Amino acid sequence: MALSGAAAVTATIALLAPSASAATTTDAAAAACDASKVKVSVSPLSSASRGGHTVNFVIDNQSDCATTGWLIEWDRPANITDTGAFYMQLTKKGDHYTFTGQIDSVVPAHSNTTTYPVYGKYTGSYTNPKNLKVTPQF
């Protein structure tokens, strides 16, 4: 039996209107994907020779969601230059570095750690990056 007139319009609106349970599910999913549960740290210098360095940064995802990407930022003193990184794009502005995950930038939920290497050069003494910040994408 086909609906006509006002009954057809009412039926269509009822099908398109979001349900209260759909909103609750979306809120629960957003709470599970808590960006504050994704941290970044830098491992100690893994290798240094002739003024070159390799250091690893570690993403620790304790949220209930895998990341689909991320943005890492840090600052370096003038005597240290990061020149490349694996699986990410490096952007430098002054002494501020930004790394954007590309290939394999998914960090599983409750992963404990996923490590990404960064390499470069330095003069004088080596120090780890400062002002580390991670912005995960879910």
Side-chain angles (χ1 to χ4, degrees):
M1 177 171 129
L3 298 176
S4 64
V9 172
T10 303
T12 302
I13 292 171
L15 291 174
L16 296 177
S19 68
S21 63
T24 304
T25 303
T26 304
D27 293 342
C33 300
D34 184 353
S36 70
K37 292 184 178 181
V38 181
K39 308 289 184 196
V40 63
S41 61
V42 176
S43 65
L45 185 64
S46 60
S47 69
S49 63
R50 297 188 198 133
H53 71 272
T54 300
V55 64
N56 295 310
F57 71 80
V58 179
I59 298 177
D60 181 9
N61 180 6
Q62 293 302 313
S63 77
D64 292 333
C65 301
T67 66
T68 58
W70 40 260
L71 180 78
I72 303 284
E73 298 178 69
W74 67 40
D75 297 317
R76 288 285 205 182
N79 69 312
I80 300 174
T81 304
D82 293 320
T83 57
F86 293 99
Y87 310 117
M88 61 196 124
Q89 180 176 343
L90 181 152
T91 306
K92 180 180 187 280
K93 186 174 184 178
D95 294 334
H96 186 77
Y97 292 81
T98 303
F99 302 89
T100 306
Q102 292 184 323
I103 301 170
D104 192 31
S105 61
V106 172
V107 180
H110 306 288
S111 68
N112 292 327
T113 59
T114 301
T115 303
Y116 298 91
V118 175
Y119 53 90
K121 58 186 178 178
Y122 69 97
T123 58
S125 297
Y126 178 86
T127 57
N128 273 336
K130 306 285 186 220
N131 305 317
L132 274 72
K133 177 184 173 188
V134 61
T135 306
Q137 299 158 359
F138 297 105

